Amino acid sequence: MSTLTVRPVAGHIGADFDGVDLAGPLAVETVDAIKQALHRHKVVFFRGQRLDHASQIAFARHFGELTYAHPHDDAPPEDHPEIFTIDPRRFEERYGKEFREEYRKRQYSYFDGWHTDVTAAVNPPAGSILRAETVPEFGGDTQWTNLVAAYEGLSAPVRAFVDTLRAEHRYGGARPVGEDGAYARRVNDNLLVSVHPVVRVHPETGERALFVNPGFTSHVVGVTAAESRRILDLLYAEITRPEYTVRFRWEPGHVAFWDNRATAHLAPRDLEHLDVERRLHRVTLIGEVPVGPDGHPSESVAGRPFTADHRVAATS
Ligand code: SIN
């Protein structure tokens, strides 16, 4: 039996976890050690693994129930509705060239800015597990940032201020229906909108994390539009500070497991001018409804909780 080792790889976030074969049966102690590493380091990397769809799902189930692939995916791999495949060729096949033109910056992932997965849902995923199948020889790295460190780095008066705020997160509805292509129509037909506390109390560690992200947060509620923009600018500048981040270089077989309640991540944007292949597969763990420092939970404005039976319904 090999020894488990956890080696931090950056000052505030990220650790390599060695000595485990994720495709094999996992001892309870190993699952506990992975949970502890995740709580402490927020994203954990497992190099050179040999997972396929079924074993990735089996591994993930040690940590909770899984969501459907993605709120706007209508074609996960056959027999594996939990798998969300990230591959630009797939998006182009499904939504046509217009998708690639219109969302040029999303060519190599499905989302191009800093984001926490699916925070437009009232119960954003608790964690995400991403596995690389095909990666380019260079480029295509993913970055994560520690939202607890970003919160703790604020001055006490600003922490006290943001503790009181709530913000709307939305997936879709920003553009008039009919103006865009099939993907935009699908998103508009299935609006997902929630109001979350700006500071989220982690249900397992009790830590406070900044819970806003440029990908999904539309505005801070109860303040003017100009105030909201400035507050969010301030918080986005904090969560994207280089010192809170880690950057991961993928190889086929590598796996990243992140705590989606305490991190945001950034898909690569350095491949848009290159004709290279990049294909990864993600599963997400069903999350709970976030709670703020005042004990108030998030509220759903549109759409259903993101669970295993989530399905989209698009009009043509
Ligand atoms: C994701 O946002 O889950 C995908 C990240 C990536 O493509 O690197």
Side-chain angles (χ1 to χ4, degrees), residues 84 86 108-111 113 115 117 128 130 140-144 250 258 265-268 278 280 282 284:
F84 179 51
I86 295 164
Y108 280 93
S109 195
Y110 78 105
F111 216 105
H115 66 282
D117 286 330
S128 302
L130 186 64
D141 301 356
T142 307
Q143 296 175 67
W144 286 263
W250 294 100
W258 63 92
H265 54 280
L266 180 66
R278 184 176 188 272
L280 301 94
R282 193 182 82 189
T284 48

Side-chain angles (χ1 to χ4, degrees), residues 222-289:
V223 301
T224 68
E227 287 166 344
S228 167
R229 264 196 312 278
R230 288 179 191 130
I231 294 167
L232 290 176
D233 281 350
L234 168 79
L235 298 180
Y236 294 160
E238 291 302 315
I239 69 175
T240 58
R241 277 167 73 143
E243 57 265 47
Y244 300 139
T245 69
V246 64
R247 180 174 188 131
F248 187 58
R249 163 96 207 110
W250 294 100
E251 294 290 339
H254 284 9
V255 171
F257 185 176
W258 63 92
D259 186 335
N260 200 52
R261 302 168 291 197
T263 58
H265 54 280
L266 180 66
R269 292 175 60 167
D270 59 343
L271 300 176
E272 285 140 26
H273 58 301
L274 303 172
D275 189 19
V276 292
E277 287 186 23
R278 184 176 188 272
R279 187 174 177 85
L280 301 94
H281 306 281
R282 193 182 82 189
V283 294
T284 48
L285 300 166
I286 297 176
E288 57 289 293
V289 175

Side-chain angles (χ1 to χ4, degrees), residues 18-57:
D18 292 323
V20 61
D21 174 6
L22 303 185
L26 291 189
V28 177
E29 300 76 39
T30 305
V31 173
D32 282 349
I34 294 172
K35 280 187 195 160
Q36 274 177 36
L38 200 59
H39 290 156
R40 171 135 189 238
H41 302 288
K42 316 308 183 204
V43 56
V44 178
F45 306 116
F46 304 90
R47 296 173 190 264
Q49 298 292 324
R50 47 185 185 97
L51 295 176
D52 57 14
H53 291 339
S55 52
Q56 181 175 3
I57 290 167

Side-chain angles (χ1 to χ4, degrees), residues 196-208:
H196 295 300
V198 165
V199 174
R200 172 177 193 177
V201 180
H202 194 287
E204 288 174 75
T205 64
E207 292 173 316
R208 294 183 185 191

Side-chain angles (χ1 to χ4, degrees), residues 71-72 170-178 180-193 302-304 310-316:
H72 294 299
R170 66 168 44 231
Y171 206 136
R175 303 183 205 195
V177 178
D180 294 308
Y183 184 75
R185 281 202 301 281
R186 174 178 296 282
V187 169
N188 271 317
D189 290 348
N190 296 276
L191 283 187
L192 204 48
V193 186
R304 293 189 300 143
H310 193 95
R311 291 294 182 276
V312 293
T315 55
S316 53

